[in-house]
Amino acid sequence: MVPASERRSNFRMFLTFLSMQATFGAAYVGYTARFEGLSFTQLIIAMAIATVAMSLYCIGSANAGAAVGQTTSLMTRSVFGRLGSRLVSVLLLINGMGFYIFTVLFVMSLLGGLFTVPAVQAVTVGIAFVMITNTYFGFDGVQRFAQYVAVPVVMIWGLYATIRGLATVSGSQLHSQLHVASPSSILFVTGAMVGLSTWGNEADVFRYAKTRPQWNLPTIIVSYAVGSFMFPIMGYVVAVLANQADFGPSIKYFVNFSLFGLVALGFIFFIVNQAAVNDGNLYIAVNGVQNLTSELPRWRRKYTVLLLGAIAAGLTLILPSLQQTFNIVTGIGAVTVPTASTVMAMDVFVLPRVFGLRRPMDRVAHWKHTARANWPGVVAVVAGTIVGTATGGLIPGTSGFQHTYIGFPALQAWLTGAVVYFIGVALVHKRANATVLLGFPRFEPEPAEAPDDSHEVASDPVPELA
């Protein structure tokens, strides 16, 4: 757990969270929206909805981490019990690895747009494995360079490119709407932005933040606003000017347009930005696996990193196109772990006030302290995930896979999880065995030096740039 003495300043937390949102993946959302038939006005509406939805979600998720001071994976032990913790850990693994692989494919798209790449498949496999390096060795210098140098430069670059693009493109060009056979809806693009920017493990970052929620509001809202407006708008403007449906080739146009043809410099900024993003993606997956394997006495974190790097390299050989991968991973990312985080926020903030039930969260729960399951919590996570994946067309083998899209799947998943959990707790909170059904951990008096089965999950600091 992170004690008060190690909490970070509001400005440092702002830089950290902003670095998670100000990424070129957000520009990809705006770029693809243009060729999916959205007008510029519709893009702005979609991004406004996404910013509001993500901010409301994150206020609960982030401040649960600030209040408890634990990582997402460790919080699940106390909140969901053994069964639920392992379920959420699997979702962390799927979520983190999905975005890790997408980022590798995205980097290859950027690379292919700037240079002629020989043996594309072999290079892709190599990049997938090499990008574990920072996580494996924990290069603090690289992380600090990304946060304090690369992020400000990318922000300035993005702002300059956006302003210059808006000044260059004519009003008729910007507001013209491409006619496509099957145009995407505003909510589909909204969901893509939410899936890209809602990490689900916000507690990992904000466990270092101030415990009072109002301290974290500017960090959350401003970071989402920047990531959901400036970069998507930049991507949309580049799409209008380049008039090229393939994102890769348009990158060279963008670099020539915004960096006066300095391709090598643009490549460095792209790589640093995306490598830093993948540190965060791998961190999510590693923490999930570490929670699952924490009872194995000889298993070490570095083994997990190597294993996931090898799996990612292999998966790049069988994944679909960049756009299909993006749609799948953002869809899954929006409805799985964030649903669990919503339930945990409900548990930390709502249950004590409404039902008078305050779960003991003053220490990290070892497996021997955890209950079998928080049954209402597990049901809520499963129900929310099913609703989100079904309405988002994310269930393989069904006729609606990658075709169905009903409403706002992410919001529907979060609300389903919250409502089901609230009802479940309301039904059991007056029973004599309520704390058993809700999976309250049973802590024993700690000896002078308590054995720790979770040190590699709990003590690993959140990357400076997730």
Side-chain angles (χ1 to χ4, degrees), residues 199-214:
W199 292 65
N201 71 326
E202 290 81 9
D204 291 18
V205 177
F206 283 88
R207 62 192 167 119
Y208 287 98
K210 307 293 184 181
T211 56
R212 293 183 179 180
Q214 59 267 32

Side-chain angles (χ1 to χ4, degrees), residues 290-307:
Q290 286 301 108
N291 196 39
L292 293 169
T293 60
S294 58
E295 292 183 291
L296 301 179
R298 297 183 181 276
W299 190 261
R300 296 292 179 263
R301 192 177 186 87
K302 63 182 180 180
Y303 303 157
T304 299
V305 176
L306 290 171
L307 175 63

Side-chain angles (χ1 to χ4, degrees), residues 6-133:
E6 294 184 25
R7 301 294 173 124
R8 297 169 181 168
S9 68
N10 296 329
F11 181 68
R12 192 172 176 187
M13 290 304 304
F14 173 70
L15 283 179
T16 300
F17 197 58
L18 179 63
S19 69
M20 297 169 63
Q21 306 304 326
T23 70
F24 283 100
Y28 184 71
V29 174
Y31 191 93
T32 56
R34 168 70 177 175
F35 295 102
E36 289 174 348
L38 257 69
S39 68
F40 184 68
T41 301
Q42 289 174 322
L43 174 71
I44 297 299
I45 294 172
M47 296 303 97
I49 297 172
T51 300
V52 172
M54 290 186 297
S55 297
L56 292 174
Y57 154 78
C58 194
I59 287 170
S61 175
N63 285 300
V68 175
Q70 299 181 29
T71 64
T72 301
S73 56
L74 293 182
M75 284 176 64
T76 62
R77 295 187 183 184
S78 292
V79 175
F80 293 110
R82 291 188 295 275
L83 175 63
S85 180
R86 286 163 178 155
L87 169 64
V88 178
S89 294
V90 170
L91 296 179
L92 285 166
L93 170 62
I94 295 172
N95 194 12
M97 289 301 291
F99 277 102
Y100 183 91
I101 296 167
F102 162 73
T103 303
V104 170
L105 298 180
F106 187 61
V107 167
M108 283 303 301
S109 179
L110 297 173
L111 188 62
L114 295 174
F115 308 102
T116 300
V117 181
V120 173
Q121 196 170 68
V123 173
T124 304
V125 170
I127 288 178
F129 192 77
V130 167
M131 289 186 87
I132 71 171
T133 303

